[in-house]
Amino acid sequence: MDVLINVFVALHIIGIASLLGGFLTQMKAMGAGTARFTPAMLHGALVMLITGVALVGLNQADDQTVNNIKIGVKLAVLVVILGLVYVKRDEEKVDKGLFAAVGGLTTANIFIATLWT
Ligand code: HEM
């Protein structure tokens, strides 16, 4: 079971890489107001959701404690990210503030995941 959980943690990290990487590579474009939500960002956010839910189930099946409040906060933040990226996925230019908000919320979730023990 440990191996399976670690595989899903790795997939979870690949999801972060895709979502945050899509944001970071467009910071210059964001400054110019020409950034857009790329498929990598949308798919990364979806991977986060699927692997996150799977990790909750796997940890519970393995009788490991899961911090439900922390997971709830991460889930709420991700739902906002996913909603924004999904709704605006076809827009060729996304408002600077909105694009920055997605990067900020993603970064916030990384710190929630690592600092909230
Ligand atoms: C943008 C959104 C998210 C980010 C950046 C993120 C980040 C992370 C990181 C860095 C880890 C590994 C560090 C650790 O073990 O604590 C992790 C683990 C984990 N994540 Fe996420 N996560 C996100 C969304 C979610 C969601 C939506 C769920 C569940 C619905 C979830 C559930 C979990 C679980 C169960 C673990 C295993 C370790 C633990 O018990 O905390 N994550 N996440």
Side-chain angles (χ1 to χ4, degrees):
M1 189 64 115
D2 278 357
V3 175
L4 194 57
I5 290 174
N6 288 337
V7 166
F8 273 88
V9 171
L11 293 173
H12 205 56
I13 304 290
I14 291 170
I16 308 174
S18 184
L19 175 59
L20 189 65
F23 170 78
L24 292 175
T25 54
Q26 293 189 84
M27 284 187 69
K28 199 172 172 189
M30 178 180 73
T34 56
R36 67 170 298 168
F37 293 132
T38 56
M41 294 176 76
L42 177 61
H43 298 149
L46 280 170
V47 167
M48 301 302 306
L49 181 64
I50 294 163
T51 54
V53 171
L55 277 170
V56 173
L58 288 170
N59 275 298
Q60 283 180 346
D62 199 30
D63 284 334
Q64 295 193 33
T65 50
V66 179
N67 184 339
N68 287 320
I69 302 173
K70 171 179 156 180
I71 297 298
V73 171
K74 272 177 39 170
L75 180 60
V77 173
L78 182 65
V79 165
V80 175
I81 294 171
L82 197 51
L84 291 173
V85 176
Y86 184 77
V87 168
K88 301 274 182 184
R89 70 191 184 286
D90 287 331
E91 293 197 10
E92 287 179 10
K93 287 180 196 169
V94 176
D95 179 68
K96 206 183 281 189
L98 193 63
F99 197 78
V102 166
L105 288 172
T106 303
T107 308
N109 248 4
I110 293 171
F111 281 107
I112 290 169
T114 53
L115 297 181
W116 189 336
T117 49

